[in-house]
Amino acid sequence: MRLFPLLGLTLAFPVVAFAADPHSYAQPAQVRVTHLDLDLKVDFAQRQLDGGATLKLDWKDPKAQSLVLDTRDLKIASVDAVGADGKTQPLKFALAPRDKELGSKLTIQAPQHPAQVRIVYTTVPEASGLQWLPPEQTADKKLPFMFSQSESIHARSWVPLQDSPAIRFTYNAHVTAPKDVRVVMSALNDAKHPLNGDFSFSQPHPIPSYLLAIAAGGIDVRETGPRSAVYAEPSVVAKAAHEFEDTEKLITTTEKLYGPYAWGRYDILVLPPSFPYGGMENPNMTFATPTVLVGDKSLVSLVSHELAHSWSGNLVTSAAWRDIWLNEGFTTYVQGRITEAVYGKTLADEEDLLSARALQKSIGQMSANSQKLTPDPRGVGADDSLSAVAYDKGSWFLRTLEQRFGRETFDAYLRGYFAHFAFQSIDTDTMFAYLKANLLDKYPGKMSEAEARQWIWQPGIPKDAPLPQSARFDGIDKERADFLAGKLAADKLDAKTWNTQEWMFFLDRLPDVTPLDKIREIDAAWHLTGTPNAEIGMRWYVHAIAAGDKDVWNAAGEHMTRIGRLYLTTPVYRAFARTPEGLAFAEGIYAKARSGYHPMTQEAVERIFAKAKKPAAK
């Protein structure tokens, strides 16, 4: 039994045992890490973190002989047991050969079961969970920048630990860096901290390793509310503060729906464009892409999504990557509810429809296993688990539950779910047992257990899955059809009033290969080539390249060079890679852009090239 204070309440719960995590070497049934003390130096010149990690241990098995940790490409200098008096004693350790996905198992001989173990180590410049940017690759081009991305199993590339979402720990950190550089972490941050090169952090709530985060660079701060601030480079911070000025409103809205915000502060760090994701829900300090800074708040649903993770994901966490829909599906549902409450039902319905239609189009191209909310983990990598199925099928299931049981009943259920499992990691079986007892059985006749099981454990989307209605999308469907049929000229489209989501919908449902004359007609009327809106740009370039419009190639190349976000960049690479000439052009762009990409983006693009060059099966 472990106790955690939550806003004045004491929550008691058992630590649940799960099957071994196939993406971790850790052996939590023998020993668990409960607290981490980090002491790190940020070395921009060598592109590495130097220092030590002290792990507080809870030995479970009296017969255990060793502590097994996850690492990837770490240089281990020493390992010591740390006594209650602070005295250290060297421990024998062995670093296994590197596995391509899992890294290297670190086995520390510890038959005396020390209360703490300290590991002195150094990261490598190519650490998969860190990106080091020289000044010229930042917005202000004055100071270097470094940031982490630990999800899914990349924390092990910068800290030796039990890198599994089933294992939660608190942490403190002391970080030194060059003066004028600000360091932030997924912990409580002080906006007024002097830039003296010496920073300390505390995360008093137990978090899984994938939420461990650090960034350092030329970072300024603007307060956006009583418990929120935006951190960004000086030339970006004012624009970001304007875009995210509704943050406090979003927090209070979510609290009214699902209970108190448990983390104290909610700050946002806007990273350089090479950040590979839209956002990362690191506790207390969401990391966000600058591609959402479009000036009209049309893409701030990203903040709603990352904020929602403070309940679904950070507070209640999936115990393994095969269960990641418990994070992402729940969060996407909550995101929609926040968007509806703050920005209106029209926008929320449009975003739900966009994701549902995209999933309907793509799910048939996936393996049957990948179509399940909880897939068999064999053959599914940890990073691969973060698919549209987890996000969009998961949220669609929850919207179906809301429709069947009614919003008031389902809201009460979710509030109870978040409170019951607060600061725990759970698997789908645990979630389903709670769902059955507190919703399905409590309100019989609304949804059968068999129907719920079909959503979770079967491939595809149930035929009776409900879709929201959107009169504006219906109108766009008609205009698109008339345009393609030659009944409506492109310049007569009622697009002057379209928001970002409506442009996305128009483009998403164009034919995969739209006639070239139609593509050029759209561009002549609406000038989409060169758009600063990356959501529109990605979709536009994919269609224009497929149609054979070489006039867009240079602008598409600029888009690919400027943006390192996987979702907005890799589709354009795939579009180019479908023809030999396009592939050669994309490889030339990549040669110039590669150094500014995150290691995850580099790996994704190189996989696209390798697949394009692979001989077709006979």
Side-chain angles (χ1 to χ4, degrees):
M1 191 75 71
R2 298 178 66 184
L3 303 177
F4 291 110
L6 174 63
L7 301 171
L9 302 175
T10 299
L11 301 177
F13 54 82
V15 175
V16 182
F18 302 106
D21 184 342
H23 300 113
S24 171
Y25 292 116
Q27 300 171 349
Q30 295 189 13
V31 57
R32 275 181 177 255
V33 173
T34 61
H35 180 80
L36 165 67
D37 282 307
L38 278 174
D39 193 349
L40 298 173
K41 175 188 174 184
V42 179
D43 188 337
F44 283 108
Q46 298 299 317
R47 296 169 59 226
Q48 64 189 31
L49 297 175
D50 303 320
T54 301
L55 307 176
K56 186 175 180 181
L57 305 174
D58 179 11
W59 291 90
K60 301 292 185 182
D61 183 352
K63 298 179 181 179
Q65 296 293 303
S66 60
L67 166 66
V68 176
L69 301 176
D70 295 301
T71 76
R72 182 186 289 129
D73 303 325
L74 296 180
K75 298 178 180 178
I76 309 296
S78 63
V79 180
D80 294 292
V82 181
D85 57 1
K87 292 183 179 179
T88 61
Q89 181 178 352
L91 296 175
K92 294 181 179 179
F93 66 92
L95 201 59
R98 186 186 193 276
D99 177 85
K100 184 178 180 181
E101 181 182 14
L102 301 184
S104 300
K105 177 170 67 173
L106 174 62
T107 303
I108 300 168
Q109 299 303 317
Q112 301 303 313
H113 292 186
Q116 296 186 83
V117 166
R118 178 172 173 77
I119 303 151
V120 177
Y121 68 96
T122 302
T123 64
V124 299
E126 301 79 22
S128 65
L130 300 175
Q131 184 169 21
W132 300 86
L133 298 173
E136 57 268 24
Q137 291 178 350
T138 67
D140 289 0
K141 307 188 185 307
K142 293 180 180 179
L143 292 171
F145 208 107
M146 177 275 296
F147 64 87
S148 68
Q149 175 54 39
S150 294
E151 190 179 34
S152 54
I153 57 170
H154 300 278
R156 65 190 67 182
S157 73
W158 64 282
V159 182
L161 35 61
Q162 293 178 315
D163 195 10
S164 168
I167 302 163
R168 304 176 74 108
F169 54 88
T170 54
Y171 80 86
N172 295 323
H174 174 245
V175 184
T176 58
K179 291 184 178 180
D180 299 327
V181 164
R182 184 185 302 276
V183 179
V184 298
M185 292 193 74
S186 55
L188 296 170
N189 291 266
D190 178 6
K192 297 180 173 60
H193 194 291
L195 304 185
N196 59 3
D198 193 283
F199 295 82
S200 293
F201 303 92
S202 174
Q203 178 50 267
H205 295 301
I207 65 168
S209 54
Y210 75 88
L211 294 178
L212 193 63
I214 187 171
I219 302 171
D220 200 358
V221 190
R222 292 287 187 279
E223 297 284 347
T224 54
R227 48 183 167 170
S228 64
V230 167
Y231 290 68
E233 291 184 71
S235 65
V236 176
V237 72
K239 183 178 181 182
H242 171 72
E243 202 84 10
F244 301 143
E245 64 185 1
D246 294 335
T247 299
E248 178 62 26
K249 188 187 299 183
L250 298 174
I251 298 171
T252 57
T253 296
T254 318
E255 287 184 312
K256 290 175 184 175
L257 289 169
Y258 303 118
Y261 178 73
W263 304 87
R265 288 191 60 85
Y266 180 78
D267 296 327
I268 301 170
L269 170 66
V270 178
L271 289 166
S274 60
F275 184 50
Y277 293 122
M280 182 62 212
E281 64 272 17
N282 303 312
N284 298 111
M285 183 64 75
T286 280
F287 285 12
T289 173
T291 61
V292 300
L293 304 179
V294 294
D296 62 0
K297 301 183 185 178
S298 62
L299 299 179
V300 294
S301 57
L302 176 131
V303 177
S304 300
H305 185 91
E306 307 310 333
L307 172 64
H309 270 302
S310 300
W311 285 262
S312 48
N314 298 6
L315 190 63
V316 183
T317 306
S318 61
W321 295 105
R322 72 186 298 253
D323 300 303
I324 196 62
W325 81 276
L326 297 178
N327 288 18
E328 299 300 352
F330 277 66
T331 290
T332 304
Y333 171 81
V334 172
Q335 166 198 326
R337 294 294 305 282
I338 300 169
T339 298
E340 177 182 330
V342 177
Y343 299 108
K345 183 170 171 53
T346 296
L347 181 60
D349 286 347
E350 287 184 349
E351 292 187 340
D352 287 343
L353 265 174
L354 275 170
S355 65
R357 293 300 191 196
L359 183 62
Q360 286 176 321
K361 184 176 180 179
S362 65
I363 196 167
Q365 301 165 21
M366 305 176 188
S367 69
N369 186 46
S370 298
Q371 296 178 32
K372 302 173 185 177
L373 283 179
T374 303
D376 183 325
R378 287 176 295 181
V380 179
D383 287 342
D384 297 331
S385 300
L386 292 160
S387 72
V389 170
Y391 289 78
D392 300 330
K393 184 180 176 182
S395 60
W396 203 342
F397 173 44
L398 298 191
R399 291 198 304 273
T400 304
L401 289 172
E402 179 200 325
Q403 184 191 70
R404 295 285 189 90
F405 290 89
R407 177 166 284 190
E408 184 177 350
T409 297
F410 191 59
D411 281 354
Y413 166 79
L414 273 187
R415 282 194 296 272
Y417 169 85
F418 292 138
H420 184 79
F421 293 113
F423 296 112
Q424 294 186 66
S425 296
I426 66 172
D427 61 12
T428 299
D429 287 339
T430 304
M431 182 284 304
F432 192 80
Y434 187 86
L435 177 76
K436 185 175 184 301
N438 293 279
L439 203 62
L440 303 182
D441 292 350
K442 191 173 180 180
Y443 303 97
K446 304 288 187 181
M447 177 183 281
S448 69
E449 180 178 340
E451 286 179 283
R453 287 186 173 277
Q454 180 186 3
W455 270 101
I456 297 171
W457 282 287
Q458 294 299 316
I461 303 163
K463 292 180 179 179
D464 61 350
L467 281 170
Q469 300 299 310
S470 171
R472 289 184 66 83
F473 275 13
D474 289 344
I476 292 170
D477 272 335
K478 186 178 185 310
E479 288 196 48
R480 185 194 309 101
D482 288 346
F483 164 70
L484 291 171
K487 299 176 182 178
L488 184 70
D491 61 3
K492 299 302 180 184
L493 292 168
D494 188 23
K496 288 183 180 178
T497 60
W498 289 356
N499 61 23
T500 298
Q501 286 74 14
E502 288 155 1
W503 268 110
M504 290 161 64
F505 184 73
F506 176 82
L507 294 169
D508 277 349
R509 305 197 76 187
L510 285 174
D512 288 344
V513 181
T514 304
L516 178 58
D517 63 322
K518 293 295 184 183
I519 288 293
R520 287 180 169 163
E521 186 182 349
I522 293 170
D523 208 16
W526 299 104
H527 310 293
L528 298 186
T529 300
T531 175
N533 188 314
E535 287 275 5
I536 294 172
M538 177 269 285
R539 289 164 169 81
W540 172 247
Y541 295 128
V542 167
H543 279 297
I545 293 163
D549 189 355
K550 291 187 178 180
D551 290 345
V552 309
W553 280 25
N554 287 336
E558 192 277 332
H559 171 101
M560 296 151 70
T561 304
R562 176 171 54 91
I563 298 167
R565 184 179 172 187
L566 286 160
Y567 155 72
L568 294 174
T569 301
T570 52
V572 188
Y573 274 104
R574 286 192 201 97
F576 274 123
R578 290 190 179 102
T579 66
E581 188 179 0
L583 176 62
F585 179 83
E587 287 182 313
I589 294 296
Y590 181 62
K592 299 173 186 175
R594 185 182 186 281
S595 64
Y597 284 163
H598 190 278
M600 294 181 196
T601 309
Q602 294 175 1
E603 182 180 354
V605 174
E606 288 165 13
R607 280 203 305 264
I608 291 170
F609 291 160
K611 184 177 180 180
K613 294 175 182 179
K614 189 175 180 179
K618 294 183 179 179

